[in-house]
Amino acid sequence: MFPSEGEPQPGPPFDGAADAECGPHPDLRAVVRERCHAAILCFRGEADTAALAVWRELIRSGAAFARQAGGHLVIDATRLSFLGWRALAVLAEEADRLPVDLALVSTSPTVARMVDAGDIDAHVPLYGTVVEALGPSGPVGPPRPAPSTSPTPSRGRHRPSVRTACPKAE
């Protein structure tokens, strides 16, 4: 028997103190590494809606490190088990706001479709490998000149190559 529309439906017991204390704990971690003239922010876990605040803060922390490393931040999402649409939208917002050039690395065909459909690549170019993002054709390219003579970055106005298949396990 189904309850009628007006009747309250039973749910799990609610203990406000326990829920406020525990809350959602996003499974998202990152390590920043300096390579060449860029900072690489390597993510693990899930970049879902519950992790948006952590995602944004980690990107901002990586950008602060990238400013000292040469002004380029590569977001390596290849080890994320989930990268949601909202996280990509936050990444695009941060790319416009932060004083560094960003590049996204992912081998996921789903991420490539979301980036293309949402016009995220107008803000953050997508690459299949970190090497491509760091290479001479990537947004990172050679080291920047001194900040006073630096040209305005293009912010991914070109369309980089994207590997749309996951690499084979060996």
Side-chain angles (χ1 to χ4, degrees), residues 17 20 23 38 47 87 90 102 134 165:
V90 166
L102 270 71
L134 291 173

Side-chain angles (χ1 to χ4, degrees), residues 15-52:
D15 179 6
D19 283 354
E21 194 175 279
C22 295
H25 291 287
D27 179 28
L28 184 64
R29 299 168 307 285
V31 174
V32 66
R33 294 186 173 97
E34 186 175 350
R35 295 288 186 267
C36 304
H37 44 276
I40 303 168
L41 193 57
C42 305
F43 281 96
R44 288 184 184 242
E46 298 178 352
D48 57 8
T49 303
L52 286 180

Side-chain angles (χ1 to χ4, degrees), residues 56-134:
R56 186 182 304 268
E57 186 58 36
L58 288 170
I59 291 170
R60 289 179 179 172
S61 297
F65 190 83
R67 286 185 70 187
Q68 297 172 352
H72 303 287
L73 179 61
V74 176
I75 306 293
D76 183 0
T78 57
R79 294 189 180 217
L80 283 174
S81 57
F82 180 81
L83 178 57
W85 166 248
R86 299 275 314 260
L88 286 173
V90 166
L91 182 61
E93 289 173 14
E94 293 300 314
D96 291 340
R97 179 176 294 137
L98 295 171
V100 296
D101 294 325
L102 270 71
L104 175 64
V105 175
S106 177
T107 57
S108 167
T110 304
V111 170
R113 285 192 299 271
M114 288 192 302
V115 165
D116 189 44
D119 201 29
I120 302 296
D121 55 352
H123 307 274
V124 182
L126 176 66
Y127 293 90
T129 66
V130 171
V131 172
E132 286 178 7
L134 291 173

